[in-house]
Structure formats: C-alpha cells, structure tokens
Amino acid sequence: MNIVGIVGSNAEVSYNRTLLQYIKRQFQGMFNLELVEIKDVPMFNQSDDQTDSQEIQSIHHKILQADGVIIATPEHNHTIPAALKSLLEWLSFKVHSFEEKPVMIVGASYYDQGSSRAQMHLRQILNAPGVNAIVMPGNEFLLGKVKEAFNEEGNLIDHETIVFLGSCLAKFTQFIQMVLAMEAAEQSEPEPEDLYATGKIDTTIEGVDMDADDWLEQAAEAVNAVEGNTYVKLDRGLLTVDQLNYFLSSMPMELTYADSNNQFLYYNHTLPGSEMLASRVLGQVGNPLANCHPKAAFKNVEWVIQQLRSGAVDAVRVNVPTHGPDKYVVHNYQAMHDKEGNYVGINEYILDFKPIIDWYLKQTGQTLAGGVEVDGMTGASVKEADKHVEAVSGASAKEDAVEVSVDAMSGASAKG
C-alpha cells in the first residue's frame, strides 16, 4: 500500500515532519510512506494560475497515484498554516487531487491540545466542494508537548503513544481498503441475486420442494446419498460419512454452507439450535436463502453475496454484540471456489473470539493496549448495499475481508 505523507509546514524545522519521518520508519511493514514537502509551493493566487507548475503538478500526481494521504498539520493561531492552505487551494482550483481520496489527519504541537483546532479546520476544508476528500472519521492523533515527545534520534518515547499511533494507522489502512472496495463495486453494477434459488446449477437436486421440512431426507433418497460407514474419498484423505460428521461437529465454530445458487445446504450440528450463537433448525436445510432471512435484510444479504461472488473481497465479517460483554461473536462469510477458481458458494463460520483472546493473553502475559476503542469507523457507509450497510469498520480488496456492523446483516441467520 502506497501512502503520501504531506508535511503541513514550510518551516526548516518542523515536529510534524519529524512525526511523519518516524511513521515512515516505524511502520514501514504496514505501508510505504512517501513524504511530500510544501516549502516550494507558491501562495495561492487565482489571478496568477500556477496549476501547471512543476511544484503543483508533482504533488498532484503523487496524490493521484497514492492509495491514501496522511496530512501532518501544526496549529498556527488556532488553524492550519498558510502554506498548507495554499496547497489545498491549488489542488482544488483547476485540478482535484483529493477527490474521493482517503485522508488521515495527524498533528503535533508544543502545547497540550496537539493541534486539535487546526485538525478540526482541516477536516472542514477537506470536506469542502472541490476538495471532496474522504476523511477518516474519529481516531484523532494529537501529539502535544512535542519537545518532550521525541528522543534525539527522532523516535517517540512514550510506549502508549506509539501503540495508539499504530492502532490509528492500522485502522487507516482498513479505511483505505474499504474505500477501494467501494470504488470497485461502483465500477460494475452486479446482477440482482436470486435469493429464492429459482435457478439451477450442476449440484441442484430437482424434484424436491426446497421449502419441505424433510428436504434432507427426500433429497438424500433422490440421489441415493451415502451415509454411515460408507467411505468418501476426499482430496486429502479418506473418511466415512460418520467420521466426516464427527469431524465437522467437533469444530469450535458454527459452520453453514450455501451454494452458488443461494440454496442453504448444510450446518454442522454442534449444539441444539436454541444454544447456538446463530440458531439453526433442521427444517432450514434445503431452503433458498430468502427463507432464511427477513425481507428487510435482503438488500444487505445481496450485497454480501455480490461482493463474494464477484471476487471483490474474499470474506465479509460481522460482529454481533447482542450476546453480551462476555462474548465477542463474529459471523464470517467466506467465499468458496472450485479448483478452477469458480465461485461455488459461501462458508459462513461463526465464532466467539473472546475465549481465544483471553487464552492468548494469559499464555503470553500480555494485555490489551490502553482501552483503545476498536470501532473507529462508526458512521461510514457502503453505497452498494443501498445505503443499508452502515457503520463499516473496515474493508478490503481481493484476499482480505470487509467488516460490517451487525445492522448490515440483521436477522441474517433467523428463520422466516
């Protein structure tokens, strides 16, 4: 991932430059950061158009080619420096470098407030017509008392500050990936999903009512399905049907499979339905997905399937906080593919991560850092879900995952 870091000061000595230089060194495993200076940017004057000058064009093209931008701003008289304001004027006059570009704001100051007022004004400017940047909400990094914050090598001294900065930058990379996923989705309008599974694929079992409560028994009889001690040759093993059931039922997660025709075909029987994190009943097996979700959730279910079917993402994750503070339950919707890479359906696996996190912390003696709020993106939205997928906290391009809040898939696992 390539990010441009704009030094928001034209001074020879700037702690905001030092901050960006530190980010470049300390977090080079997270992204590539190229620092951009504004010392040679002329004062904005629309009567003396210098948009085509080397200074303006160089910065313009670097921003266009970057995945995102970090702006480090000082605070001068409760606002941003004149040099930074001039740069933003030039880049929104004849060219529009920041149009739909993910931007993160950081700032360093001699005083306790750490450029908070300058950052607030900068957000307003970046949201202005003609600029139209996509500014990451929340996660303000305000570095105050900068004279004492760095050591002689230009490294931050306070451990908690370093950890918080790292968490903000990690969320910014997720924010960038979310924006990239949104842009990719906007480029091609997907076909509507047939949630009623009226189509047919190679593995569709015809002649059996999908809505039947005993679909499993009828379908198994129709295709002479094997069971019990009959062996099944897998691509990496040989197991009986009973062994496969033992194996899948022992998984420390709830598994569900829906095929590419949007038919719900399987869930592993780990617990009685009433005790599951997402209640399932045997009568759901064989149903089209439309029967497994309330109609109010159809738009969001379609959006998730379209993301996975198109290959825009490999997974969508949903945190469901309604299980109480002693659990951290995540629904993972994972795209499945055959050997040729063709989409063959969704593996939804549901897991309570809290016992794993607690075990890890106990084993390593580590603790979670400083009570940093995890969901820093609340309020963002995904357009392709017809504006119903709210509070996106992270998204990604191919081979990563999109994370959405629980309201995006409300009732996704409920019958009817």
Side-chain angles (χ1 to χ4, degrees):
M1 182 177 292
N2 297 312
I3 296 176
V4 164
I6 296 177
V7 179
S9 171
N10 59 0
E12 290 296 329
V13 177
S14 169
Y15 282 105
N16 284 277
R17 182 182 296 111
T18 303
L19 175 59
L20 287 176
Q21 290 170 339
Y22 173 76
I23 291 173
K24 180 181 175 70
R25 291 193 309 272
Q26 181 71 15
F27 300 99
Q28 57 184 317
M30 194 179 295
F31 48 74
N32 299 316
L33 182 66
E34 180 181 2
L35 267 60
V36 168
E37 297 284 354
I38 64 172
K39 292 184 290 185
D40 297 325
V41 173
M43 184 67 70
F44 177 74
N45 182 351
Q46 64 182 15
S47 299
D48 182 17
D49 185 6
Q50 298 188 48
T51 303
D52 293 331
S53 67
Q54 181 179 349
E55 291 82 2
I56 304 301
Q57 285 297 312
S58 175
I59 298 174
H60 169 60
H61 287 292
K62 286 180 179 179
I63 293 174
L64 287 183
Q65 293 167 9
D67 296 308
V69 178
I70 299 174
I71 302 178
T73 180
E75 183 168 308
H76 293 179
N77 295 329
H78 295 183
T79 189
I80 65 174
L84 178 57
K85 183 64 163 61
S86 281
L87 174 69
L88 298 174
E89 295 284 4
W90 285 123
L91 298 182
S92 58
F93 178 46
K94 295 288 184 64
V95 296
H96 301 278
S97 317
F98 289 96
E99 183 81 32
E100 297 189 353
K101 184 69 65 175
V103 177
M104 177 183 179
I105 300 172
V106 299
S109 170
Y110 293 131
Y111 305 107
D112 292 341
Q113 292 182 320
S115 77
S116 61
R117 288 166 293 200
Q119 290 198 28
M120 179 183 67
H121 288 172
L122 182 54
R123 285 180 182 275
Q124 293 174 333
I125 295 168
L126 291 169
N127 287 325
V131 185
N132 292 327
I134 305 178
V135 186
M136 185 174 74
N139 294 287
E140 294 181 334
F141 184 77
L142 308 167
L143 184 62
K145 297 184 177 179
V146 289
K147 288 186 176 180
E148 295 89 41
F150 293 98
N151 61 22
E152 293 181 358
E153 288 75 34
N155 295 321
L156 287 172
I157 298 171
D158 183 68
H159 175 70
E160 290 188 3
T161 301
I162 296 170
V163 170
F164 178 64
L165 174 59
S167 72
C168 290
L169 293 170
K171 290 172 186 176
F172 183 51
T173 62
Q174 293 177 336
F175 183 71
I176 291 173
Q177 291 167 343
M178 179 195 74
V179 174
L180 292 175
M182 288 167 54
E183 291 176 348
E186 288 177 351
Q187 289 174 3
S188 58
E189 187 70 25
E191 291 290 329
E193 285 294 330
D194 177 16
L195 297 182
Y196 291 93
T198 59
K200 176 185 173 182
I201 58 176
D202 291 342
T203 52
T204 298
I205 299 173
E206 297 185 87
V208 181
D209 182 5
M210 289 183 180
D211 296 337
D213 287 340
D214 63 341
W215 178 90
L216 176 58
E217 288 73 22
Q218 290 190 52
E221 183 179 354
V223 298
N224 297 315
V226 298
E227 58 182 326
N229 290 322
T230 305
Y231 281 95
V232 178
K233 182 182 178 183
L234 305 169
D235 62 356
R236 291 297 184 273
L238 185 68
L239 300 174
T240 67
V241 176
D242 283 342
Q243 287 173 326
L244 278 171
N245 279 319
Y246 305 151
F247 179 70
L248 292 168
S249 295
S250 71
M251 290 290 176
M253 62 188 72
E254 296 171 10
L255 301 171
T256 299
Y257 175 46
D259 67 15
S260 60
N261 195 38
N262 295 332
Q263 186 179 10
F264 176 26
L265 295 181
Y266 171 83
Y267 71 94
N268 63 335
H269 187 216
T270 57
L271 292 168
S274 60
E275 298 177 30
M276 296 177 71
L277 297 172
S279 178
R280 315 286 192 200
V281 295
L282 184 57
Q284 283 180 302
V285 175
N287 276 211
L289 288 181
N291 289 5
C292 304
H293 302 81
K295 286 190 176 181
F298 278 14
K299 284 280 187 181
N300 303 320
V301 175
E302 281 196 63
W303 180 83
V304 170
I305 297 171
Q306 288 164 350
Q307 297 303 297
L308 300 175
R309 188 188 297 277
S310 68
V313 297
D314 280 344
V316 176
R317 297 191 180 108
V318 184
N319 167 232
V320 181
T322 55
H323 296 277
D326 60 327
K327 291 182 173 64
Y328 192 83
V329 177
V330 178
H331 291 231
N332 301 268
Y333 301 86
Q334 182 76 41
M336 300 174 68
H337 302 89
D338 62 18
K339 292 180 179 179
E340 285 72 43
N342 300 308
Y343 172 78
V344 294
I346 298 173
N347 170 17
E348 178 189 3
Y349 57 99
I350 302 168
L351 183 63
D352 177 13
F353 278 89
K354 193 171 185 303
I356 300 172
I357 295 170
D358 291 344
W359 179 88
Y360 171 78
L361 295 175
K362 183 177 180 180
Q363 293 297 312
T364 62
Q366 298 185 42
T367 58
L368 295 178
V372 176
E373 179 64 31
V374 173
D375 182 10
M377 309 292 178
T378 301
S381 65
V382 176
K383 300 174 185 175
E384 285 305 296
D386 196 27
K387 301 188 184 298
H388 290 288
V389 181
E390 295 297 328
V392 175
S393 61
S396 73
K398 177 78 172 169
E399 296 182 359
D400 285 317
V402 173
E403 301 173 8
V404 298
S405 69
V406 64
D407 61 342
M409 296 295 293
S410 179
S413 301
K415 173 79 171 174

